[in-house]
Amino acid sequence: MYSIIVVPPSCGSVSEQLRIGAGERIEFGRARTGGAHSEGNGGSGRGGLVIAHAGVPRVAGEIMAHRTFWLLSNLSEDQTYVVENPEGAGEHVKVAPGRVDAPVPFEMSRVTLPAAGDLLSFDVWAPRHAFRSVARHGLEGAGTVPAFALDRTKRYFAVLAALCERRLRGEPCAPLPAVEEIVDRLRPSWPKVSRSAVYWNIDYLAVKLRLRPGPDTAEPGTRTHGKKESLASLALRFDLVHEDDLVVLAPAPNGAKR
């Protein structure tokens, strides 16, 4: 079972994403590498992440999945890599040349490599973050892992709330908002929101909520409308979003259609 997803630059479909499970590593760089492999084993034969740029080392680094987070090794000789939290306020981790197994705590990350005057980046997702109730009621042992782990402080949750807003406000048969409408709805609280950012978060939610057909079996090029309908249906059926959760959205203008 995978726990980390590596999204190549300009990734066009789920079939291009690279998935690794706990203990597996995958290399990235200018040359095609041995692919994903487990601790103590050789390459599996799958290609690693190829970044075709003359300024990227042949073997630039390595990603290792460790439970619900991941480790980054910088195998370059003189370039520092930066891992940013796209949802943070400048939150980032710097990984110095030669540093191995630097832990990255972000659920969604953007790895940026300096390359001969250019800045190249790819994304890494850790969608299987787990949460449990703090209240243990005196019970010993591990807590029950929730079926769906959603962080209400993340932008993906605001996208989900905007997607479900009309139906949560008493219109159970209302059509889902178009991506452009979601962008307009989120702009007051997220000024830099864009269509591509909304599409990105919809794709991420589809992975995180483990929609069926799942990302390992879905046909490339699945329509966004189908993803939106599946997400809204799942979220409302299992009460992943309540009307009270709409506080993550800015108040709608008076008289505006929600």
Side-chain angles (χ1 to χ4, degrees):
M1 177 65 71
Y2 70 87
S3 59
I4 301 299
I5 301 174
V6 181
V7 185
S10 304
C11 180
S13 71
V14 294
S15 62
E16 298 176 31
Q17 297 171 358
L18 306 173
R19 293 172 170 77
I20 54 176
E24 290 186 327
R25 296 175 179 266
I26 192 166
E27 293 177 341
F28 60 90
R30 188 174 79 252
R32 183 165 294 280
T33 68
H37 56 277
S38 300
E39 290 284 85
N41 296 325
S44 66
R46 293 184 301 163
L49 174 58
V50 178
I51 304 176
H53 190 289
V56 175
R58 291 175 58 82
V59 181
E62 190 176 61
I63 290 168
M64 176 182 176
H66 182 77
R67 296 186 178 178
T68 58
F69 66 98
W70 56 285
L71 309 172
L72 174 64
S73 295
N74 181 349
L75 304 182
S76 74
E77 296 182 359
D78 55 8
Q79 296 289 355
T80 294
Y81 298 161
V82 176
V83 186
E84 301 171 277
N85 176 5
E87 296 203 322
E91 190 177 17
H92 67 277
V93 172
K94 294 194 291 185
V95 183
R99 172 72 191 274
V100 296
D101 292 342
V104 178
F106 312 135
E107 183 172 348
M108 292 171 284
S109 306
R110 182 154 297 144
V111 182
T112 301
L113 317 177
D118 294 324
L119 294 177
L120 310 177
S121 64
F122 61 89
D123 293 339
V124 180
W125 297 347
R128 299 195 183 278
H129 277 193
F131 301 88
R132 67 177 177 87
S133 172
V134 175
R136 298 291 291 127
H137 305 293
L139 299 176
E140 297 181 356
T144 302
V145 176
F148 305 104
L150 293 174
D151 186 340
R152 284 163 168 74
T153 67
K154 298 293 186 182
R155 285 177 178 155
Y156 67 70
F157 189 80
V159 171
L160 185 61
L163 188 63
C164 298
E165 182 179 21
R166 294 173 183 170
R167 298 182 184 182
L168 285 170
R169 292 194 188 278
E171 300 179 64
C173 297
L176 295 178
V179 169
E180 291 78 6
E181 294 177 290
I182 295 175
V183 170
D184 290 340
R185 185 69 184 91
L186 295 173
R187 183 163 284 120
S189 57
W190 181 4
K192 294 184 178 181
V193 65
S194 63
R195 293 176 76 252
S196 62
V198 171
Y199 280 123
W200 189 91
N201 279 279
I202 288 173
D203 286 342
Y204 182 75
L205 282 164
V207 171
K208 188 169 182 65
L209 296 182
R210 308 177 194 182
L211 292 177
R212 295 295 182 266
D216 294 321
T217 58
E219 291 295 325
T222 302
R223 295 179 56 135
T224 300
H225 179 74
K227 289 182 185 178
K228 291 195 301 178
E229 189 62 51
S230 297
L231 284 170
S233 177
L234 180 70
L236 295 170
R237 183 182 301 123
F238 290 100
D239 291 330
L240 305 184
V241 183
H242 300 83
E243 187 171 0
D244 291 347
D245 291 320
L246 297 179
V247 297
V248 301
L249 305 173
N254 291 336
K257 184 178 178 181
R258 295 187 177 98

